[in-house]
Amino acid sequence: MGATRLEMGIVHPGKRGAGQDGAGGLAIGPGTGPLGWNPPAERSPAMSAAQAREPNPATQLDAVVVGAGFAGLYLLHRLRGMGLSARIYEAAGGVGGTWYWNRYPGARCDVESMQYSYQFSEELQQEWEWTERYSGQPEILRYLEHVTDRFDLRRDIEFNTRVQSAVYDEAASRWQIETQGEGEGEGGRHALSAKYFVMATGCLSSANTPDFEGLDDFAGNTYHTGRWPHHEIDFAGRRVCVIGTGSSAVQSIPIIAEQASELHVFQRTPNYSIPARNGPLDPDEVRALKARYAEFRAEARAEGFGIVNPFPLPPDQDPEYVPSPEELEAMLERNWEYGGLTFLNGAPGLVVLPELNELAAGFVRKKIRDVVDDPEIAKLLSPHTPVGCKRLCVDTHYFETYNQPHVHLVDISGSPIEKITPAGVQVGGQEYPCDDLVLATGFDAMTGALFGVDIRGRGGLALNEKWAEGPRTYLGLATRGFPNLFIVTGPGSPSVLSNMVQSIEQHVEWIADCVGYMEEKGLERIEAEANAEEQWGAQVNEIADQTIFPSCNSWYLGANIPGKPRVFMPFLGFADYAAICDEVVANAYEGFELA
Ligand code: NAP
């Protein structure tokens, strides 16, 4: 199957070319938008002042985009480049999305910088200099701020403004949208009307705060990794409790441990983690890579995870090849030394063959035993689920941290947190005192942010009602009953099981091309067909069922949120997915009704 490797070998060299920087490519020029929209330079100040005084009639736009992260920024750039009036509404005070909110100590991307960046602009990818193999949050945020200014996006972004509701008006074939901002309109509310409504709200943006009894009564400071304050937090000399051991915890725990006088980590489920082996980028290597950047990006697009595999099998290798245990061991040792997510995609078959996966899982467990001094702690830190089934973590000295005498692991797998007391965390009748409480408890992934807006489609159907049994989409881009609503990296698309930036660009380009097609043909509506949606859901599941992914309690399945329906949400296989999306377009938007 095409979930993990380059089976299809599909590369679309013609897909990003002239016009991808927003210079054109579509027959819609500035000022010729279907609503007779004025160019932004003439429009912005005067119009927003008028709108602030007069909330009705609604501001008319071609497209409203929710969220100013990687997705929203690029989409705004593309839509404006097509001569459409588009605006981003963003709840935060700045751009960045994930990288705006996740400022916890050690926050860093575990896809390498040279890949976790936009490729739509050759100039941008040539001029920007990453400093480390894996970028830290401040550097990624600086990059996104640079992109915002370089492409003059800021003037069409409304910050500190939350989109409250979006209701599809069938008679007008438009979305009627309400926002809540700072001081615009009456009581900060503002009405918008747009032909296209795009949720670019990210997959991991709705922070999950478990309903711990007594949480509000905690006398110290409480932080959530996904909503970290903007000011420096100093844990020096403080007793800290961290709840959770996912990626955010694995990154922050070693740094918090450096400062805290005492650290208790509350672990419900242990996680596999691979050393990042981060370090400064070698300027010569960067230069060499930039000289063939387009080729390098194409290699990534041809991969199942959308990430270049530094250890590809020879092209003439039998596609059914399964390494012997000895060959696998050698590959895993090499991948471990290389560091990061390559551990999973640098050896064939790990996500499809459980017996092979178990060998890899045993390999990591042995590494944990090698690193952690206390055998009991090593045992507690060793997962028994398939490796990669829950999102693989990437760390710098995570397991080593537990060798420090002031760091304590509290196993809560059999005895959940009873309550948060004013003085600390209580488990099994014992109170663990702390001055600061860090919730590294993750997100309501993939659907949480979408349900954060009251979205109502045809007949007033609410999105969360339609998805009560789990998300249903066509291509992860659209859902029936909600015409002209697009979701960037929605459930049913590769999203979180791929290089997010690459998946975002692919979606943004698909959406922009689709909008261009509709405008060119004078169409009013595009909507997923019921059949196409049903078949897509079945296909997403069928592929996932051939892998280890649905076999454990992960957030990919919604298992981390009490009461959330268990549906495997990502589509496995970026290259296959992108080829399907292209085919849908080549067949005049097969699976969609256009009117
Ligand atoms: P996460 O992986 O969902 O981890 C949340 C942790 O909190 C888990 O250990 C979970 O335990 C625990 N938890 C949740 N509710 C709990 C409760 N009621 N009681 C006790 N423990 C509880 O969240 P995350 O670490 O924020 O990471 C989410 C995703 O964001 C990652 O998987 C990754 O995709 C992305 N991320 C990426 C990076 C990066 O690029 N380096 C960094 C951070 C995050 P259970 O496992 O038992 O549910």
Side-chain angles (χ1 to χ4, degrees):
M1 57 149 301
T4 56
R5 295 190 34 75
L6 203 163
E7 270 96 340
M8 292 191 65
I10 294 159
V11 181
H12 307 282
K15 201 151 188 284
R16 295 184 178 86
Q20 297 294 317
D21 282 354
L26 286 156
I28 305 167
T32 62
L35 300 167
W37 163 77
N38 299 316
E42 293 159 35
R43 177 179 58 108
S44 288
M47 246 177 87
S48 17
Q51 284 153 9
R53 284 192 304 275
E54 182 56 83
N56 283 310
T59 302
Q60 304 283 320
L61 292 161
D62 292 333
V64 161
V65 178
V66 190
F70 268 99
L73 293 174
Y74 181 32
L75 187 60
L76 174 62
H77 175 57
R78 286 298 304 253
L79 294 174
R80 271 194 349 196
M82 290 158 59
L84 299 178
S85 60
R87 242 177 132 64
I88 295 179
Y89 293 82
E90 168 58 64
V95 298
T98 284
W99 303 105
Y100 176 92
W101 295 108
N102 286 266
R103 298 167 185 246
Y104 59 84
R108 186 176 291 287
C109 185
D110 51 23
V111 173
E112 297 186 21
S113 319
M114 297 300 289
Q115 302 193 56
Y116 191 83
S117 46
Y118 289 120
Q119 56 190 290
F120 70 85
S121 162
E122 181 60 15
E123 296 79 12
L124 173 67
Q125 71 176 3
Q126 289 296 337
E127 78 199 7
W128 184 262
E129 297 292 343
W130 295 107
T131 63
E132 290 179 278
R133 179 177 174 189
Y134 299 97
S135 304
Q137 174 271 334
E139 191 168 357
I140 303 176
L141 190 56
R142 273 201 303 281
Y143 169 75
L144 287 170
E145 279 165 357
H146 168 77
V147 169
T148 305
D149 294 330
R150 192 191 191 287
F151 296 100
D152 190 20
L153 301 176
R154 220 171 279 276
R155 62 186 157 86
D156 277 315
I157 308 175
E158 209 75 55
F159 293 109
N160 301 306
T161 303
R162 188 170 279 283
V163 174
Q164 302 282 29
S165 64
V167 178
Y168 188 67
D169 175 347
E170 288 178 66
S173 294
R174 292 178 71 78
W175 284 92
Q176 309 300 353
I177 297 154
E178 266 206 14
T179 65
Q180 175 80 48
E182 283 176 341
E184 55 166 36
E186 268 166 22
R189 294 182 89 80
H190 195 78
L192 312 167
S193 166
K195 179 171 176 182
Y196 304 102
F197 180 57
V198 187
M199 289 295 282
T201 40
C203 298
L204 293 156
S205 42
S206 174
N208 167 43
T209 300
D211 189 15
F212 293 124
E213 185 191 329
L215 185 59
D216 291 342
D217 302 331
F218 181 61
N221 305 305
T222 306
Y223 308 104
H224 193 294
T225 47
R227 286 288 178 275
W228 203 259
H230 287 207
H231 59 271
E232 190 78 17
I233 306 294
D234 187 5
F235 292 110
R238 296 179 70 81
R239 298 166 307 165
V240 182
C241 288
V242 175
I243 301 177
T245 49
S247 296
S248 305
V250 160
Q251 289 187 331
S252 55
I253 282 168
I255 296 174
I256 295 173
E258 281 172 17
Q259 302 170 6
S261 61
E262 188 154 53
L263 172 61
H264 281 96
V265 177
F266 296 82
Q267 174 187 272
R268 188 164 69 179
T269 316
N271 263 307
Y272 295 97
S273 187
I274 312 298
R277 312 220 185 273
N278 189 29
L281 280 169
D282 176 344
D284 290 337
E285 281 177 23
V286 170
R287 216 168 297 122
L289 199 149
K290 282 189 173 179
R292 55 176 290 273
Y293 222 154
E295 199 186 322
F296 181 73
R297 298 290 203 177
E299 283 169 22
R301 288 200 299 276
E303 286 287 339
F305 290 124
I307 299 174
V308 171
N309 177 3
F311 306 117
L313 294 174
D316 57 351
Q317 182 86 49
D318 173 5
E320 304 292 310
Y321 163 72
V322 176
S324 69
E326 295 72 29
E327 286 172 324
L328 182 67
E329 173 88 13
M331 286 176 180
L332 294 175
E333 198 61 59
R334 175 199 63 194
N335 298 350
W336 182 268
E337 282 314 308
Y338 184 82
L341 299 174
T342 291
F343 185 80
L344 209 56
N345 70 342
L350 290 188
V351 302
V352 281
L353 298 173
E355 60 284 6
L356 221 58
N357 186 290
E358 179 47 32
L359 292 175
F363 177 95
V364 182
R365 287 194 289 266
K366 177 167 181 317
K367 292 289 185 192
I368 297 172
R369 287 196 299 277
D370 289 348
V371 166
V372 178
D373 297 339
D374 181 336
E376 278 311 304
I377 301 293
K379 203 166 157 192
L380 287 177
L381 287 168
S382 297
H384 285 275
T385 45
V387 57
C389 177
K390 271 174 179 282
R391 166 63 151 76
L392 196 58
C393 300
V394 175
D395 71 279
T396 299
H397 306 314
Y398 175 64
F399 293 117
E400 290 88 331
T401 301
Y402 292 94
N403 292 335
Q404 299 177 42
H406 70 297
V407 178
H408 315 285
L409 183 67
V410 184
D411 172 28
I412 56 166
S413 58
S415 170
I417 289 169
E418 283 164 358
K419 59 178 171 182
I420 309 296
T421 68
V425 178
Q426 184 173 312
V427 179
Q430 184 179 344
E431 186 182 72
Y432 297 86
C434 39
D435 305 311
D436 297 310
L437 177 62
V438 175
L439 302 173
T441 44
F443 301 91
D444 183 355
M446 306 201 75
T447 54
L450 298 174
F451 294 159
V453 176
D454 182 8
I455 302 175
R456 289 173 188 268
R458 276 192 292 108
L461 178 66
L463 186 66
N464 58 4
E465 281 170 32
K466 173 171 175 182
W467 289 5
E469 305 297 320
R472 283 150 55 203
T473 70
Y474 180 41
L475 303 174
L477 275 160
T479 187
R480 178 156 184 82
F482 297 79
N484 296 5
L485 164 71
F486 296 106
I487 304 164
V488 185
T489 61
S493 75
S495 57
V496 291
L497 273 167
S498 68
N499 173 359
M500 278 305 299
V501 181
Q502 178 146 295
S503 278
I504 283 169
E505 285 189 288
Q506 187 257 342
H507 263 194
V508 164
E509 287 165 13
W510 195 96
I511 293 166
D513 290 351
C514 173
V515 165
Y517 178 87
M518 295 203 34
E519 296 306 308
E520 217 172 43
K521 302 263 180 215
L523 296 167
E524 287 196 330
R525 280 192 321 279
I526 181 165
E527 184 177 351
E529 287 172 5
N531 263 351
E533 185 168 291
E534 204 169 305
Q535 282 168 19
W536 186 253
Q539 192 174 340
V540 171
N541 282 312
E542 201 181 304
I543 296 172
D545 286 344
Q546 295 170 49
T547 73
I548 49 106
F549 285 105
S551 69
C552 67
N553 289 326
S554 69
W555 57 254
Y556 298 136
L557 273 166
N560 63 327
I561 302 295
K564 190 167 172 174
R566 272 179 89 103
V567 174
F568 189 79
M569 293 182 278
F571 179 99
L572 281 157
F574 175 83
D576 295 4
Y577 174 83
I580 294 168
C581 287
D582 288 350
E583 216 173 288
V584 165
V585 175
N587 294 333
Y589 292 92
E590 189 179 7
F592 286 99
E593 286 169 12
L594 294 118

